[in-house]
Amino acid sequence: EADIYQTPRYLVIGTGKKITLECSQTMGHDKMYWYQQDPGMELHLIHYSYGVNSTEKGDLSSESTVSRIRTEHFPLTLESARPSHTSQYLCASSEGDWGGNTEAFFGQGTRLTVV
Amino acid sequence: GDSVTQMEGPVTLSEEAFLTINCTYTATGYPSLFWYVQYPGEGLQLLLKATKADDKGSNKGFEATYRKETTSFHLEKGSVQVSDSAVYFCALSDRAGGATNKLIFGTGTLLAVQP
């Protein structure tokens, strides 16, 4: 069973609110990732981190921001939520490179609805 | 750029039927290839992988062979069960230049198995 946790699982929030989606892993992995999954199931990388104090933007432009102050924690923040932010957000981590012999682990996701 | 193309769903099968989900890729380097599965309401789980040409990945009765000549990594299972109903994602990680090693996903294929 994967030791990576996302909270909350579901969130319904009004437009303009600030929100933080939490992601924590207890495996000591250096690499962590945020994916946005649209209703058509397609996954888009929006942020990644290779370690503490390292954050990079992914392939899909996102108004969200991330931080990596501790190895185990990789929160995602939206300063002002909008209906266009409605989506499922998946957090993942890995010990090494995706292409190596290490497995990537995904959290259960946070389904965000902005009304 | 690198990309993954997989067959569109939904794929609807009867229990014990043979399953094939096609996946082809485009990559400039030497990718590792993966199949991930997402059960309803869950995050993604690694199903199987292959790291070089002609490797066969297998798990839980599923298998896929890395075919460099056809740039393909088709997923197969000889006899599906209702519990196999899920979304299946083909993915690659290109190690050429190796700096980022991000996973690139296909669009996902929904499999529905009926009793």
Side-chain angles (χ1 to χ4, degrees), chain A residues 42-44 59, chain B residues 1-7 22-34 66-67 70-73 89-95 102-108:
Chain A
E42 194 163 354
L43 291 153
H44 303 283
D59 302 319
Chain B
D2 297 347
S3 65
V4 175
T5 302
Q6 61 182 104
M7 67 187 285
N22 291 336
C23 172
T24 57
Y25 67 90
T26 302
T28 53
Y30 307 95
S32 293
L33 302 173
F34 306 84
Y66 189 141
R67 301 284 188 202
T70 54
T71 61
S72 64
F73 193 55
F89 291 90
C90 186
L92 74 79
S93 172
D94 194 339
R95 288 174 289 180
K102 294 173 288 184
L103 261 187
I104 297 169
F105 287 93
T107 53

Side-chain angles (χ1 to χ4, degrees), chain A residues 9 31 33 35 37 40-43 45 48 50 59 88 90 97-104 106-109, chain B residues 32 34 36 38 41-46 49 51 87 89 93 95 98-103 105-110:
Chain A
R9 288 292 307 278
K31 299 187 177 181
Y33 307 78
Y35 284 86
Q37 185 172 29
M41 303 179 299
E42 194 163 354
L43 291 153
L45 180 68
Y48 60 98
Y50 281 166
D59 302 319
Q88 166 131 292
L90 292 171
D97 292 339
W98 293 104
N101 290 320
T102 54
E103 182 176 343
F106 281 80
Q108 291 185 300
Chain B
S32 293
F34 306 84
Y36 280 82
Q38 185 177 30
E42 302 293 324
L44 276 69
Q45 303 173 27
L46 179 65
K49 67 179 182 183
T51 57
V87 179
F89 291 90
S93 172
R95 288 174 289 180
T100 54
N101 285 127
K102 294 173 288 184
L103 261 187
F105 287 93
T107 53
T109 301
L110 174 63

